[in-house]
Amino acid sequence: MVTETGSITIHNVAKVAGVSISTVSRVVNGLDRVAPDTRHKVKTAIRRLDFHPNSRAQALSRKRTDTISLIVPDFEGQYFSMLMEGAHEEAQANGVHIMVLKAKSSEEKIEAVTRLCSQGRTDGVILMLSDLYGDVLKGIGHINSPLVILDQDVHSWRLDNILLDNRIGAFEATRHFIDTHNVDDVFFLGGSEDNVDTTARARGFADALKSIGLNAKGRQFFGNSYSYDEGYHLAEEKIFPLINPEKHYGVVAANDDIACSIIDALMDKGIRVPEQVGVTGFDDSDMAIHRRLKITTMRIPTKEIGRVAVRMILNRLSGRVSEPAKVVLKARLIVRDSCGCGRHDNSIPGDKHGK
Amino acid sequence: MVTETGSITIHNVAKVAGVSISTVSRVVNGLDRVAPDTRHKVKTAIRRLDFHPNSRAQALSRKRTDTISLIVPDFEGQYFSMLMEGAHEEAQANGVHIMVLKAKSSEEKIEAVTRLCSQGRTDGVILMLSDLYGDVLKGIGHINSPLVILDQDVHSWRLDNILLDNRIGAFEATRHFIDTHNVDDVFFLGGSEDNVDTTARARGFADALKSIGLNAKGRQFFGNSYSYDEGYHLAEEKIFPLINPEKHYGVVAANDDIACSIIDALMDKGIRVPEQVGVTGFDDSDMAIHRRLKITTMRIPTKEIGRVAVRMILNRLSGRVSEPAKVVLKARLIVRDSCGCGRHDNSIPGDKHGK
DNA sequence: TAAAATTGTAAAAAGGTTTTTATAACATCA
DNA sequence: TGATGTTATAAAAACCTTTTTACAATTTTA
């Protein structure tokens, strides 16, 4: 029983304190009652030997790793950063760790989740599903660890689920133009029609139009991706020709990247933004404020998503919750300048700043 | 020995295959030779029972968690994303996992590293040190797991170390203005003087000036942080007054945020960028291309840093390497428009685009 | 052909905890 | 004072592997 390796174990502590290992364990974990005198002896020995329980042995014995896995399609953008921020905060506060994995394709996702769980390497999995999900969830099948699905409504699968109400978000952005700015018309410019965010936001835009008796048809345009250059061309080709200089418009962009490109494209065409055309973004990313014309955008409570996701896993581990939980978080309109609400003197070509 | 829980263990496999557990282990790990016939029996049983080795038990027995910890001050920006990208790629390729922790203060860093290591929760630690490091490394003291330090030169501590040559990067950006654009003068605008990146880049700028017999004094300015608004005001207050409309200047910004704010501030003052004043950034972040005037910037091989860091840990674990390794990576100049190299017709107020 | 080496497998030990069971010491009640 | 409870601790079992040791069976060498 003599450990020749350098590490101090519960056995060493027991010997020094003159008690059994089970007593040491009880002192360390503080669950069971121990005589004050004994407790003191053990604590002294622990301090003297600088004993730290071996987490690997604890994991085996407790059947728990104190690790939660976060699986995302990629590590880019603020969404991931904020998700991490929230997840880490909640994890840290509860003494668990976050393991991060990237899985883009359905196969990769299935493989990652099943491997992590069947190996018992993680106590729970947070899986971000931005695209199709049926085959992924079917592929995963039954697992014994808690699983939280992000970003995609997986109703009927009886899984913990966190969603963002993109529809309402876009609805509000659109209504902002209608209600506050009294625009003559409003357009939507999205990324790919395959993207769940874009489609949900397009739906919100359409709903807002419907609410005032208009049809979205001919007012929304899509590209192949969320890129600046593509957004720029789309704005040039689709939006610009529809602009009547006498009128006042609003453009709801599916995200901040696209909002940037729309603003630049229209300004390059000589359109005054936001006077003639107001623009709103989505995501409240860095670029919304790293510009002369600060972008009005929908802020997504991403950090909250991360926090809630970890909380859900912990709840399930504690066994307190039984029914699958579904949390829908709402985006919030951050009013800045690009919609026309803020200072009006900063983005007008040839204005008093001397251009 | 009958496990009542649902999980399949090596014992179940052994029983079904009619062999001992050690034989199953040898088949699974494939280290020792096993008779073809026995191997087949075992493999069949494994497949039939859908056995997966319990990683917690493996961790205890092998004294290794197949987990590498990445400790960063925060999760924001492309630097973190790219670091993760590289680290995950290398980790995935070697069957290990990445655990991510946030530690801002020195105390948090010390606490995180020592706890992870003394508990045996990780096989190695990648620690990003952007600020002072002496007290952190002293606080950490001796640990038994491999430790790689990022971003800060910790010579004399005999630790694996990965650095970015910020000095050379800024030197090259500065020389680009001098050599290619033949500017009449050049300025540097940084973040906080406490920030190691800013100071190293300022040094590179100064070295470039010295190389042509000039002094950096009066040509470099610092703020309190890396923020857009502060950069904007600094550019207004410090750079603008120095600009002679008849002359041609270059401004080296300590990062892309500041480059954005300089460009906007100068343009708002009626200065033509890049014709009168060229600007370069640093980092090649998103915002460098999400603008009308694409920013010339120094691209940092961040992904490579992540990859190399993991590789260093793995090398050390394998025991093949003995001496501490030090890798210095270089930033690369990405030439776009803001320095004056690209198209010149896009950012001029009142140009042919009709403004 | 006896001795030695090799091969294939079983049995046991080790890894460091937690948790259950057992036991001793002591207090409480009838 | 003997039965009953309570408390504090020790001992042992369990968690599930990997790895070492031991031992037969077989092959090779002298």
Side-chain angles (χ1 to χ4, degrees):
Chain A
M1 210 95 327
V2 179
T3 38
E4 297 296 338
T5 65
S7 57
I8 304 296
T9 76
I10 213 174
H11 290 94
N12 302 314
V13 176
K15 182 174 282 179
V16 168
V19 299
S20 76
I21 59 161
S22 44
T23 300
V24 178
S25 176
R26 287 199 315 273
V27 169
V28 170
N29 297 299
L31 309 158
D32 230 330
R33 51 211 153 356
V34 178
D37 188 42
T38 317
R39 157 164 285 123
H40 180 75
K41 276 191 300 183
V42 172
K43 285 203 160 170
T44 309
I46 287 176
R47 209 151 342 115
R48 188 150 80 77
L49 297 174
D50 190 31
F51 164 74
H52 296 269
N54 182 309
S55 71
R56 295 189 301 261
Q58 286 184 324
L60 176 60
S61 188
R62 294 173 169 167
K63 301 172 193 298
R64 158 160 67 83
T65 58
D66 293 327
T67 297
I68 292 175
S69 300
L70 174 62
I71 305 179
V72 295
D74 59 68
F75 302 135
E76 272 148 50
Q78 293 222 308
Y79 188 90
F80 172 63
S81 295
M82 288 294 105
L83 195 64
M84 270 302 304
E85 195 79 41
H88 181 266
E89 188 176 304
E90 188 72 31
Q92 175 125 301
N94 290 278
V96 305
H97 294 88
I98 299 286
M99 186 166 269
V100 183
L101 289 91
K102 179 168 114 173
K104 242 186 162 77
S105 70
S106 294
E107 295 73 39
E108 285 171 337
K109 286 172 188 151
I110 294 168
E111 197 275 333
V113 174
T114 50
R115 191 173 42 77
L116 287 172
C117 294
S118 66
Q119 290 184 158
R121 191 177 281 281
T122 193
D123 295 348
V125 176
I126 300 169
L127 177 63
M128 180 171 160
L129 280 185
S130 328
D131 323 302
L132 17 66
Y133 62 91
D135 59 336
V136 174
L137 296 183
K138 200 153 62 185
I140 289 172
H142 175 75
I143 54 172
N144 33 18
S145 307
L147 175 64
V148 175
I149 304 294
L150 259 41
D151 289 9
Q152 186 91 256
D153 193 345
V154 294
H155 51 267
S156 83
W157 281 85
R158 293 189 59 73
L159 287 169
D160 285 335
N161 201 187
I162 306 178
L163 300 169
L164 186 71
D165 201 330
N166 279 303
R167 205 186 53 76
I168 296 282
F171 183 93
E172 283 181 10
T174 311
R175 288 297 309 213
H176 178 72
F177 280 126
I178 296 166
D179 300 336
T180 307
H181 294 287
N182 246 304
V183 295
D184 296 305
D185 208 342
V186 60
F187 303 111
F188 177 88
L189 195 49
S192 157
E193 270 189 287
D194 291 339
N195 185 284
V196 287
D197 292 341
T198 280
T199 53
R201 290 166 192 179
R203 213 164 335 116
F205 170 78
D207 289 352
L209 284 195
K210 200 185 286 173
S211 72
I212 56 163
L214 287 179
N215 196 307
K217 185 91 178 148
R219 289 189 172 90
Q220 48 189 17
F221 309 98
F222 301 93
N224 297 313
S225 65
Y226 275 138
S227 88
Y228 177 90
D229 288 334
E230 200 181 316
Y232 190 97
H233 287 119
L234 271 175
E236 260 183 332
E237 285 173 29
K238 306 291 187 177
I239 308 281
F240 177 66
L242 298 172
I243 304 297
N244 174 343
E246 307 295 310
K247 294 196 170 174
H248 181 205
Y249 301 89
V251 179
V252 176
N255 71 6
D256 290 343
D257 296 53
I258 294 179
C260 286
S261 55
I262 294 169
I263 292 171
D264 290 349
L266 294 182
M267 286 173 82
D268 284 351
K269 289 284 190 186
I271 307 283
R272 286 177 301 132
V273 180
E275 288 71 13
Q276 291 176 274
V277 180
V279 177
T280 59
F282 221 108
D283 292 349
D284 193 20
S285 57
D286 269 349
M287 72 194 83
I289 51 167
H290 283 127
R291 319 194 100 233
R292 273 188 293 178
L293 183 67
K294 311 290 191 221
I295 296 177
T296 294
T297 187
M298 299 301 301
R299 179 179 294 165
I300 292 176
T302 321
K303 196 170 159 182
E304 188 67 14
I305 294 177
R307 223 171 353 221
V308 173
V310 168
R311 187 101 295 281
M312 279 181 169
I313 301 272
L314 295 174
N315 282 343
R316 210 149 283 286
L317 287 173
S318 76
R320 284 200 301 271
V321 194
S322 52
E323 284 303 293
K326 173 170 166 177
V327 171
V328 180
L329 296 169
K330 280 178 63 179
R332 189 159 65 85
L333 182 70
I334 304 296
V335 177
R336 296 208 181 90
D337 307 327
S338 69
C339 62
C341 277
R343 59 204 171 107
H344 285 219
D345 54 13
N346 199 28
S347 60
I348 309 165
D351 71 0
K352 66 173 176 174
H353 277 146
K355 291 190 290 189
Chain B
M1 209 91 333
V2 180
T3 38
E4 298 295 340
T5 65
S7 56
I8 304 295
T9 76
I10 213 175
H11 290 94
N12 302 314
V13 176
K15 183 173 280 177
V16 168
V19 299
S20 76
I21 60 162
S22 44
T23 300
V24 178
S25 175
R26 287 200 316 273
V27 169
V28 169
N29 297 299
L31 308 159
D32 230 332
R33 54 215 148 356
V34 179
D37 188 41
T38 317
R39 157 164 284 123
H40 181 74
K41 275 193 300 185
V42 173
K43 284 204 160 170
T44 309
I46 287 176
R47 211 154 336 117
R48 187 150 82 76
L49 296 174
D50 191 31
F51 164 75
H52 296 268
N54 182 309
S55 71
R56 296 187 302 262
Q58 287 183 323
L60 176 59
S61 188
R62 294 174 169 166
K63 302 174 192 300
R64 154 160 71 83
T65 58
D66 293 326
T67 296
I68 292 175
S69 299
L70 174 63
I71 305 179
V72 295
D74 59 65
F75 303 134
E76 272 148 51
Q78 293 220 308
Y79 187 90
F80 172 63
S81 295
M82 288 294 103
L83 195 64
M84 271 302 305
E85 194 79 41
H88 182 267
E89 189 177 302
E90 188 70 30
Q92 174 126 299
N94 290 277
V96 305
H97 294 88
I98 299 285
M99 187 166 267
V100 183
L101 289 91
K102 178 169 114 173
K104 244 188 161 71
S105 71
S106 294
E107 294 73 39
E108 285 171 335
K109 285 171 190 154
I110 294 169
E111 198 275 333
V113 174
T114 49
R115 192 174 41 74
L116 287 173
C117 294
S118 65
Q119 289 182 158
R121 192 178 279 283
T122 193
D123 296 347
V125 176
I126 300 168
L127 176 63
M128 181 171 160
L129 279 186
S130 330
D131 323 303
L132 17 66
Y133 63 90
D135 59 336
V136 174
L137 296 183
K138 199 154 62 186
I140 288 172
H142 175 75
I143 55 172
N144 32 19
S145 309
L147 174 63
V148 174
I149 304 295
L150 259 41
D151 287 8
Q152 185 91 256
D153 193 345
V154 293
H155 51 268
S156 83
W157 281 86
R158 292 191 58 75
L159 286 168
D160 285 334
N161 201 186
I162 306 178
L163 301 169
L164 187 72
D165 201 330
N166 279 304
R167 204 186 53 77
I168 296 283
F171 183 92
E172 283 180 9
T174 311
R175 287 297 310 213
H176 178 71
F177 280 127
I178 297 167
D179 299 336
T180 308
H181 295 288
N182 246 303
V183 294
D184 296 305
D185 208 343
V186 60
F187 304 112
F188 177 88
L189 196 49
S192 157
E193 269 188 289
D194 291 341
N195 184 284
V196 286
D197 292 341
T198 280
T199 53
R201 290 166 192 178
R203 209 161 340 114
F205 170 79
D207 288 352
L209 285 194
K210 198 185 290 174
S211 72
I212 56 163
L214 287 179
N215 197 304
K217 186 92 178 150
R219 292 188 169 90
Q220 48 188 17
F221 309 99
F222 302 93
N224 297 312
S225 64
Y226 275 137
S227 87
Y228 177 90
D229 289 333
E230 202 184 312
Y232 190 97
H233 287 119
L234 270 176
E236 260 183 331
E237 286 173 28
K238 305 291 186 179
I239 308 279
F240 177 66
L242 298 172
I243 304 295
N244 174 343
E246 306 298 307
K247 293 198 172 171
H248 181 203
Y249 301 89
V251 179
V252 175
N255 71 7
D256 290 342
D257 296 54
I258 294 179
C260 286
S261 57
I262 294 169
I263 292 171
D264 290 351
L266 294 182
M267 285 173 84
D268 284 354
K269 288 284 189 186
I271 306 283
R272 287 177 301 133
V273 179
E275 286 72 13
Q276 292 175 274
V277 180
V279 177
T280 59
F282 221 107
D283 292 350
D284 192 21
S285 58
D286 269 349
M287 72 194 82
I289 50 166
H290 284 127
R291 319 194 102 232
R292 272 189 293 176
L293 184 66
K294 312 290 190 220
I295 297 177
T296 294
T297 188
M298 299 301 299
R299 179 180 293 166
I300 292 176
T302 321
K303 196 169 160 184
E304 188 66 13
I305 295 178
R307 224 174 348 221
V308 173
V310 169
R311 185 103 295 278
M312 279 181 170
I313 302 271
L314 295 174
N315 282 342
R316 211 148 283 287
L317 288 172
S318 75
R320 283 200 300 272
V321 193
S322 53
E323 284 302 294
K326 174 170 166 177
V327 171
V328 181
L329 297 169
K330 280 178 66 178
R332 190 158 65 86
L333 181 69
I334 304 295
V335 176
R336 297 208 181 90
D337 307 327
S338 70
C339 62
C341 277
R343 53 198 175 114
H344 285 218
D345 53 13
N346 199 29
S347 59
I348 309 165
D351 72 0
K352 66 175 178 179
H353 278 144
K355 289 190 288 187

